Amino acid sequence: MFVFSRRKWPQIYHPESFRNEEVFKISEAEIINRCGLDTYLFLRYLQTLTKIFGPLAAVLLSVLIPVNLIGGVGPQGGVHGLDTLSWINVDPKKTARYWAHLCIALVVILWVCHIIGYEIRSYTKVRHRRLRSVERFRNACGTTVLVSDIPLECLKESHLRTLYGVFPGGVKAVSINRDFRPLMRKVQERERAIRTLESVETKLMVKIQNENRGGQDIQRSIESNRLESYTSPFNIQWLPPVPGLSRKVDTIGACRARLQGLDAENRRGQQSQSEFKEVPSAIVRFERPLGAFLASQSTLHTEPHKMTATLVEDPSQIIWENISLTWWERYVRRWILTGISIAIICGCTVPVAFTGLLSQLSYTATEFPWLSWVASLPPWFLSALQGALTPAILAATMITAPLILQKLVLAQGRTSRANAELALQDYYFWFLFLQVFLVISVSSSVATVLSSLKYNVRSFAGLLALNLPKAANYFLSYVVLQSFSVSAGTLLQVGRLAHFIAGPLLGNTARDVWERLKKPQVQWGMFFPVYTNLAVITIIYSVVIPLVLVVSVVAFVSF
């Protein structure tokens, strides 16, 4: 499918592709220049994971596979398939073999810490080269700092010039921000009116073109195909049309009249910026990048949360809606929305745990008499419950929760999209770790544990230690599935391809076509946690079932 799609839609798959001979010769600097620093760091991250798991796979497979396999309990003890390669197969009478697992676990910890330390030092070197690069001297963004939460007594251009003039190179320009939210709302309203006008005129042109293939009068066709709509009552734009209070108007004429009024209002707002209220933040531009960097690392006020400086790498990365917030408004939002985010992360354990229990419904019904009615269900219905409904519930939870977390992070009051992406990365990782790893590990064996606890409650810890490693096969399958599905989906660009094919059904204006051809922005906050969760699962289960290391190496290489 990729081969077919690549040739049919080249604008999606290779708008800026490298030549074949350049793929393995391209330098790190060239990757940064062509693809950006974020892309380079992601590739470096995958390379780091390969460095971690490659040597570990060679060591653990050669040591632990013979320890687990030779002289194990085998099929006679109820261990079958890939479980014979894990420590479940170790004979309980040969507990001395667990010393090998302990020593290998220490080796894994030391090796992971060594590679992480090396990569942190390498990242520091990359950061220093970036700060000293010539591009930062030429680019205004490399010398610009956003200062938030400025006290009222310091909210003057002269005061800020004096305060930040001590840094190397001095200050080139200072601009105090204003609350342009009323103007931004009118700009957004103008954008909606433009899109409505473009859509209506495009439909009208297509309709006239289809009718005039027989040589009919174009002007007469335009008059006969006028599109009409109803106005909002009392000229309140967000109210829907109400019979008796709304009047019928020509859509194109109404949109054009509305655009003329909005253009005049926006022009007046841009020309009279002093009418807008000043907010406690400012943009400070330095003469040298070193001055901007030192200013972003310095504390210039005695009170906490005051005069917070952030480097502005890209103006589009500033969340302008949050500029006007004070520090206490920002922190109140952050605490409240963080609590809601934690509640969502923990609350999703209910449907995820339910899917784990539902997948073993037949076994659970045999252990608990009050579920005996399950045996009377039709076999096809029971199979659908355990096979089809389980992944459907899990998929809906995994898709919906990250989108809600993303909205909550943006509403927390952060002024930088980069900081918002980092916060989303933390939330999403803990969501994946809790739902995909912990809940699945416990819920997949909870039926067995509960049935055994009926006879001996004191054996709870031992039962968990015995049954949790049995989930190793599930996570081995999970890593295999992720390695091929994510890499294949990334190569095929499923989302962009579907949007490109189904796009004409959603909008067919020139703007819609251009947006479909535009390269999508990668949401790193939802991209990194998926691979980090795979890496964490691999590290945890590497000693339990060493075969997971081989699968992970193949997975990260294919990514």
Side-chain angles (χ1 to χ4, degrees):
M1 186 175 180
F2 168 73
V3 175
F4 169 76
S5 302
R6 179 175 178 271
R7 295 178 179 178
K8 185 173 180 59
W9 295 290
Q11 61 271 40
I12 296 180
Y13 293 101
H14 48 88
E16 298 178 5
S17 57
F18 299 111
R19 295 193 301 270
N20 292 335
E21 62 270 15
E22 291 181 342
V23 173
F24 299 102
K25 299 180 182 179
I26 188 169
S27 62
E28 294 182 357
E30 189 68 17
I31 295 176
I32 295 175
N33 292 333
R34 291 195 183 189
C35 305
L37 185 62
D38 291 332
T39 303
Y40 164 74
L41 291 177
F42 175 69
L43 295 175
R44 184 66 182 259
Y45 180 61
L46 295 180
Q47 184 183 20
T48 301
L49 295 178
T50 307
K51 285 181 182 179
I52 292 175
F53 298 132
L56 286 180
V59 174
L60 269 67
L61 288 175
S62 59
V63 175
L64 294 185
I65 293 296
V67 172
N68 297 333
L69 185 61
I70 300 175
V73 294
Q76 296 82 6
V79 179
H80 305 275
L82 294 177
D83 285 339
T84 58
L85 303 179
S86 67
W87 76 2
I88 300 176
N89 194 47
V90 176
D91 194 334
K93 299 178 181 179
K94 302 176 182 179
T95 55
R97 295 193 177 192
Y98 288 120
W99 282 102
H101 296 84
L102 176 61
C103 294
I104 290 296
L106 294 176
V107 170
V108 170
I109 294 172
L110 293 175
W111 177 249
V112 171
C113 292
H114 168 70
I115 295 297
I116 290 176
Y118 173 79
E119 288 300 322
I120 289 176
R121 292 190 294 271
S122 299
Y123 165 75
T124 304
K125 294 178 182 178
V126 172
R127 187 185 185 192
H128 289 170
R129 287 198 301 267
R130 179 74 172 177
L131 293 173
R132 296 193 304 265
S133 63
V134 179
E135 289 77 9
R136 292 186 65 86
F137 283 88
R138 298 174 181 174
N139 191 357
C141 295
T143 59
T144 305
V145 167
L146 170 65
V147 184
S148 306
D149 303 319
I150 304 175
L152 293 178
E153 63 271 13
C154 301
L155 196 60
K156 299 177 182 178
E157 182 177 346
S158 58
H159 190 95
L160 293 175
R161 281 184 176 275
T162 304
L163 188 63
Y164 287 99
V166 298
F167 293 103
V171 175
K172 185 175 183 179
V174 174
S175 176
I176 297 176
N177 296 321
R178 296 180 180 272
D179 187 4
F180 290 114
R181 284 182 292 184
L183 183 59
M184 292 174 64
R185 284 193 290 267
K186 292 187 178 296
V187 171
Q188 294 171 358
E189 186 179 348
R190 178 182 179 274
E191 183 70 19
R192 290 193 295 268
I194 288 176
R195 289 183 176 272
T196 302
L197 180 60
E198 289 176 349
S199 178
V200 173
E201 288 186 342
T202 301
K203 292 178 182 178
L204 181 61
M205 286 188 292
V206 172
K207 193 172 183 180
I208 292 174
Q209 183 182 9
N210 294 334
E211 290 183 355
N212 282 273
R213 290 177 179 176
Q216 298 179 8
D217 185 20
I218 295 180
Q219 187 61 34
R220 185 180 302 173
S221 298
I222 293 176
E223 295 298 331
S224 61
N225 289 293
R226 284 286 185 182
L227 299 177
E228 296 180 337
S229 60
Y230 289 91
T231 60
S232 299
F234 310 111
N235 289 327
I236 301 176
Q237 299 299 321
W238 54 270
L239 287 178
V242 178
L245 299 177
S246 302
R247 54 190 177 88
K248 185 184 293 186
V249 295
D250 176 36
T251 305
I252 294 178
C255 288
R256 290 178 177 176
R258 183 60 182 161
L259 279 175
Q260 290 177 357
L262 289 172
D263 285 339
E265 294 177 11
N266 292 337
R267 197 178 301 112
R268 285 194 299 269
Q270 293 171 357
Q271 293 173 355
S272 58
Q273 297 184 11
S274 59
E275 297 179 359
F276 295 94
K277 182 182 66 174
E278 290 184 345
V279 296
S281 66
I283 300 291
V284 181
R285 185 177 176 186
F286 292 83
E287 293 285 354
R288 297 172 56 186
L290 180 59
F293 174 74
L294 292 177
S296 66
Q297 301 295 314
S298 303
T299 302
L300 298 181
H301 204 275
T302 56
E303 297 182 18
H305 315 305
K306 297 288 188 180
M307 304 287 288
T308 304
T310 307
L311 276 173
V312 180
E313 295 287 346
D314 187 355
S316 62
Q317 294 299 311
I318 298 178
I319 306 177
W320 296 102
E321 296 84 357
N322 297 334
I323 289 295
S324 59
L325 298 177
T326 60
W327 70 267
W328 63 268
E329 290 177 326
R330 189 174 293 113
Y331 273 83
V332 167
R333 280 192 181 196
R334 190 167 301 179
W335 279 105
I336 293 176
L337 295 178
T338 298
I340 296 174
S341 301
I342 294 175
I344 291 175
I345 293 173
C346 298
C348 287
T349 58
V350 176
V352 175
F354 176 72
T355 59
L357 292 173
L358 192 63
S359 64
Q360 296 188 353
L361 185 60
S362 300
Y363 174 77
T364 307
T366 60
E367 296 294 329
F368 298 94
W370 58 274
L371 288 176
S372 57
W373 57 270
V374 174
S376 61
L377 294 175
W380 63 268
F381 184 72
L382 188 59
S383 300
L385 284 178
Q386 297 182 137
L389 186 60
T390 299
I393 296 175
L394 188 61
T397 305
M398 293 300 173
I399 292 174
T400 306
L403 298 178
I404 298 176
L405 292 175
Q406 185 180 31
K407 297 295 184 183
L408 293 176
V409 166
L410 292 175
Q412 286 183 355
R414 289 179 172 84
T415 57
S416 171
R417 295 190 185 276
N419 292 336
E421 289 289 330
L422 290 174
L424 176 61
Q425 180 176 327
D426 293 337
Y427 292 145
Y428 190 34
F429 167 74
W430 287 113
F431 171 79
L432 290 176
F433 182 74
L434 182 63
Q435 310 305 333
V436 176
F437 176 69
L438 290 181
V439 176
I440 292 296
S441 297
V442 175
S443 63
S444 61
S445 58
V446 70
T448 305
V449 173
L450 291 178
S451 62
S452 301
L453 286 178
K454 293 188 301 183
Y455 308 104
N456 188 4
V457 179
R458 296 181 179 180
S459 62
F460 179 73
L463 287 172
L464 282 181
L466 182 64
N467 286 280
L468 287 182
K470 294 180 180 179
N473 283 340
Y474 169 82
F475 289 110
L476 181 64
S477 304
Y478 175 77
V479 173
V480 172
L481 179 63
Q482 289 292 313
S483 64
F484 290 104
S485 62
V486 175
S487 59
T490 304
L491 184 65
L492 187 59
Q493 300 186 47
V494 178
R496 192 180 180 195
L497 179 61
H499 184 258
F500 186 82
I501 296 175
L505 301 176
L506 305 176
N508 210 14
T509 64
R511 187 191 300 265
D512 295 329
V513 174
W514 176 78
E515 289 182 348
R516 288 198 296 270
L517 294 176
K518 187 172 61 175
K519 290 193 300 183
Q521 294 292 329
V522 179
Q523 296 178 339
W524 297 109
M526 299 179 67
F527 209 67
F528 270 93
V530 176
Y531 302 93
T532 305
N533 191 53
L534 289 177
V536 169
I537 291 174
T538 302
I539 293 173
I540 292 174
Y541 275 96
S542 59
V543 179
V544 177
I545 179 167
L547 195 62
V548 74
L549 290 166
V550 179
V551 177
S552 295
V553 171
V554 174
F556 293 121
V557 169
S558 64
F559 292 152

